[in-house]
Amino acid sequence: MDDQIIENIGTLLLPGAGPLKGEAMKELPVRHQAAIAIKGEKVVWIGSSEEACARQARHRFNAEGKVVSPGLVDPHTHLVFGGSREEELALKQAGTTYLDILKSGGGILSTVRATRQADESSLYGKARRFASGMAAYGVTSLEAKSGYGLDEETELKQLAVIDRLNDEGLLDIAATFLGPHAIPPEYKGREDAFLDQMIDLLPVIKQKTSAVFTDIFCETGVFTTEQGARFMEASLRHGFQLKIHADEIDPLGGTELAVQYGAVSADHLVAASAESIKQLAASETIAVLLPGTTFYLGKDTYADAGKMIQEGAAVALATDFNPGSCVTHNLQMIMALAALKMKMTPEEIWNAVTVNAAHAIGMEKVAGRITVGGQADLVFWDIPNYKYLPYHYGVNHARAVWKRGRLIWERREADVFPIS
C-alpha cells in the first residue's frame, strides 16, 4: 500500500536527466492527467490518474487543474548575515556604484561588521525565517554561503548556522565557504596575506563544518584571477569542490578560471567574453546566472543566457539573495526576470531552476527531478500551464510545497486546491 497518492494532476513537469546543455534545455517533458504515488520520502510510481484508481493508499490528494513540478532549487544564496543595508539604496539611486560603496567601507564590509557582532542564535533565527520564506515560493533545496565574517570565528559561526538549518531538515542546503568575499579593512594593501589566512582556514572548515564547496569573488578591487587560482588549487588539495563569482562587472577571466580548474559552477558571468562562453560550453561547469542582481543594481546589461545556450552551455538560475545587491528570496521573480530581461524560454527557465540548479550544487541525486525512487520534493502551482508563471510576475503562484513526501507549506484558501 502506498502512503500517499496525488491524482488528477493537470500537468506534471518531468525534466530530463542533466545537466541539460544547449538545445536540450529547450525540452521539458510533461504528462497530463497524471498521478504520483509516494511511500515514505520517495516517489514509488508515476502514471495516469486512471491507473491510480487501482492503487491503494492511506491518503489520496486531488491536484485537479494544478501544475506539479519538482521542488525548485536555488543554487546561489547568501542566506546567513547580520544587519541590513537599506541606507545604501539612496546611494545607488544617486549613481554611486557597487564597487564605490565597497571602497568607502559599505557594501559587503558593512554586513561583515553586523555579522561579526551578531551571535549565532540571532543569525539562526533570521536565516530560518528567510529559508521558510524561500520554501513558501517553492524552493526545497538551496546553496548557502558564508563570506560575511572574513575571519575564522565569524566564518565558522555562519557555517554553523547553515549546518543547524540543514540538520533541522526543512530544506536541503549545500554549504559553501566564501572566506575570500572581500578584503577586510585591516588587510588593505596586504591582500595576499589575507588570502593566505583564508587558505590556512581550509582544513579547519573541512573538519568543523559540512561545507562542500569553496568560492572566491574575483573582480576588480577584490581578488585577481591569479589569487583565485591560488585559492582554488588550495581548495582542491583539501577536498573541496569549486565555485567562483566570475566576470560580474569586468571580464577578468574568471569564467576561464572556472573551466580550467573544473569548477562545478561559475556564477554571475554578466561580463563573460565570447571566447569564455565557448570554453564554458565545452566544459562541465554550469553557468549560474543571477538576473535579480543586475536588476537590483539598476544595470541594463544582463548575462547573455541566449548565447550561452546557443553555444551549448548548461545554465541555471538563482536569486543571489543577499542584503546588498539582490534583496529577494523569491525565485519565482527571478524566473520572470529571466524571461523579460534575458529572453529565456519557459522551458529553459524551468530546467534552469530544477535539474540544472540541482547539478550546480551537487544535489542531482536528491533534487531537481521527479523520478521513481527519487525524493518526493514537489510544488503544486495555481497556474493553468507552466508557461504562465514567468508571464504573471511578482506574485506567489505556489499552492502547496512538499519536502520528502511531507507538506511543509500551504496557502490556506478554502476555494483553491481542495485536498481530500
Side-chain angles (χ1 to χ4, degrees):
M1 178 182 287
D2 302 318
D3 292 337
Q4 303 173 92
I5 287 180
I6 305 159
E7 53 195 353
N8 299 322
I9 299 171
T11 304
L12 178 63
L13 306 189
L14 297 167
L20 301 176
K21 301 184 72 174
E23 290 297 310
M25 288 193 65
K26 301 181 183 299
E27 300 175 5
L28 181 61
V30 303
R31 289 190 67 160
H32 301 292
Q33 289 305 304
I36 300 172
I38 297 170
K39 196 170 186 65
E41 298 181 353
K42 305 291 186 179
V43 174
V44 295
W45 173 83
I46 300 171
S48 69
S49 290
E50 184 177 356
E51 292 169 327
C53 295
R55 298 181 69 96
Q56 293 185 329
R58 292 182 176 87
H59 305 284
R60 305 184 83 92
F61 299 89
N62 178 18
E64 184 175 2
K66 297 295 174 286
V67 172
V68 175
S69 79
L72 304 186
V73 180
D74 192 340
H76 183 130
T77 82
H78 301 258
L79 181 68
V80 182
F81 58 86
S84 60
R85 283 154 47 190
E86 60 273 14
E87 70 282 352
E88 291 180 10
L89 182 58
L91 296 175
K92 295 186 181 82
Q93 290 170 329
T96 308
T97 69
Y98 179 78
L99 291 179
D100 284 341
I101 292 172
L102 181 61
K103 288 176 185 176
S104 67
I108 294 169
L109 297 178
S110 171
T111 301
V112 167
R113 291 191 293 272
T115 306
R116 286 178 176 179
Q117 293 167 6
D119 61 30
E120 183 179 318
S121 179
S122 64
L123 290 175
Y124 167 78
K126 186 175 185 178
R128 193 185 189 285
R129 289 193 299 273
F130 291 141
S132 297
M134 291 177 177
Y137 286 113
V139 170
T140 56
S141 302
L142 68 141
E143 181 257 19
K145 304 177 190 294
S146 67
Y148 291 126
L150 311 184
D151 61 20
E152 179 174 343
E153 178 184 358
T154 315
E155 292 293 317
L156 288 173
K157 180 170 62 175
Q158 284 189 272
L159 290 167
V161 169
I162 294 168
D163 286 350
R164 186 173 167 187
L165 289 168
N166 210 9
D167 291 343
E168 189 179 86
L170 174 66
L171 305 175
D172 286 324
I173 306 177
T176 297
F177 171 55
L178 178 58
H181 192 194
I183 309 296
E186 60 268 29
Y187 280 91
K188 189 173 182 180
R190 298 187 297 127
E191 290 80 5
D192 283 326
F194 172 69
L195 188 62
D196 287 340
Q197 185 185 67
M198 294 298 100
I199 289 172
D200 291 343
L201 191 51
L202 289 171
V204 180
I205 299 296
K206 176 62 73 174
Q207 179 185 7
K208 293 187 176 182
T209 79
S210 67
V212 175
F213 302 99
T214 65
D215 196 347
I216 184 168
F217 188 11
C218 285
E219 188 52 72
T220 301
V222 193
F223 295 98
T224 66
T225 52
E226 291 77 15
Q227 290 167 328
R230 190 152 64 89
F231 183 72
M232 294 169 94
E233 288 172 357
S235 296
L236 289 173
R237 287 198 303 270
H238 287 92
F240 290 97
Q241 298 180 65
L242 306 178
K243 291 179 168 288
I244 181 172
H245 283 56
D247 299 331
E248 177 182 1
I249 299 170
D250 295 319
L252 299 186
T255 306
E256 294 94 324
L257 197 65
V259 172
Q260 178 183 348
Y261 285 95
V264 175
S265 74
D267 300 25
H268 285 291
L269 310 187
V270 177
S273 67
E275 175 58 30
S276 69
I277 290 174
K278 288 182 179 180
Q279 292 185 29
L280 182 71
S283 76
E284 299 304 312
T285 299
I286 296 170
V288 175
L289 307 184
L290 312 168
T293 306
T294 305
F295 174 79
Y296 188 78
L297 293 177
K299 297 190 173 184
D300 297 323
T301 301
Y302 286 74
D304 196 345
K307 178 70 171 176
M308 293 177 194
I309 294 171
Q310 180 184 358
E311 292 287 349
V315 171
L317 291 166
T319 59
D320 192 20
F321 171 58
N322 72 81
S325 61
C326 192
V327 197
T328 183
H329 50 265
N330 180 355
L331 190 55
Q332 294 177 48
M333 183 66 183
I334 303 306
M335 294 169 72
L337 289 175
L340 296 169
K341 298 296 186 179
M342 297 196 299
K343 312 304 180 187
M344 292 177 68
T345 68
E347 294 80 8
E348 292 166 350
I349 291 167
W350 281 102
N351 285 323
V353 296
T354 54
V355 58
N356 280 6
H359 276 272
I361 59 173
M363 287 192 180
E364 63 274 10
K365 293 182 179 179
V366 296
R369 300 179 65 209
I370 301 172
T371 60
V372 173
Q375 199 162 274
D377 293 1
L378 309 169
V379 186
F380 301 77
W381 302 97
D382 269 332
I383 52 178
N385 56 71
Y386 69 80
K387 297 179 180 181
Y388 188 89
L389 191 148
Y391 151 79
H392 187 169
Y393 73 98
V395 298
N396 188 2
H397 293 288
R399 178 62 186 89
V401 181
W402 289 26
K403 181 67 180 176
R404 301 188 194 93
R406 180 174 62 90
L407 178 71
I408 62 169
W409 181 85
E410 180 182 13
R411 190 173 68 245
R412 300 192 178 279
E413 295 177 7
D415 59 339
V416 179
F417 189 46
I419 298 179
S420 58

